[in-house]
Each structure stands twice: as C-alpha cells, then as structure tokens.
Amino acid sequence: MIAAFPLKSSGTDANVQVRGVSPTVLRVRDNIKIIAGRFFQPGLNELVVGKNAAVMYQGLALGDGIKFGGGAWKVVGIFDAGGAAFDSEAWSMPTF
C-alpha cells in the first residue's frame, strides 16, 4: 500500500511504500540487514523501515508510533538495503 507520511524537511506529506512481507524476507533478500532494533513480530502492528525512510519522514524513526491504514503501528527496526529502493520503504506483516 501507499501511505502519506510528513517529510521532516517540510512537514508536507509524501507517499511511502508500505510493503507487506513475510518473516522469511531476510532469507530471500539476503542483502538486507537490520542495523538498529529488531525485525517485526508477526501478529503485532510493528514496522521495520529502511534507513532512508527513517531519516526522511516524521514518525518513522526507531521507537516511534504512527497511525495509518486504520491502525496504530510501532517502528521496531531499521534496515539497510544497500542503496536499493527498499531503503525508502516501511515493511510489516500483511494483516489480511
């Protein structure tokens, strides 16, 4: 899904890809590493976010709580995708 999060630099909303992934994603995408915090726990409203997203958007730093998509979410980890587009995304377990 695409969600609007405010940019830290201006406060205006920008679109962020929120990707639903399974807990096996780090085995499939072995170039992606958790660099702070931990990976999300399935069944909880937790996010891991790319290192660029954590820096650019309000509410996406480690430990932050944010509301979107009809729920409240907590950022529990930051990942490094080695410069890939994933660095600007937020990931969680799909809730459907």
Side-chain angles (χ1 to χ4, degrees):
M1 80 178 276
I2 300 294
F5 294 103
L7 290 164
K8 287 182 179 178
S9 62
S10 65
T12 58
D13 284 347
N15 291 334
V16 176
Q17 175 73 42
V18 180
R19 188 178 300 273
V21 299
S22 78
T24 62
V25 71
L26 296 180
R27 289 196 308 253
V28 174
R29 305 256 183 220
D30 60 357
N31 62 317
I32 297 174
K33 307 292 183 216
I34 298 293
I35 58 172
R38 61 173 173 80
F39 198 70
F40 64 78
Q41 292 182 23
L44 300 178
N45 284 4
E46 296 181 336
L47 298 169
V48 292
V49 300
K51 64 180 185 176
N52 293 345
V55 171
M56 293 177 57
Y57 301 101
Q58 295 175 29
L60 294 184
L62 186 63
D64 283 354
I66 192 158
K67 292 182 181 183
F68 73 94
W73 300 81
K74 182 171 183 173
V75 178
V76 297
I78 307 295
F79 64 84
D80 182 348
F86 297 129
D87 278 333
S88 296
E89 295 182 354
W91 291 359
S92 188
M93 184 81 179
T95 57
F96 48 91

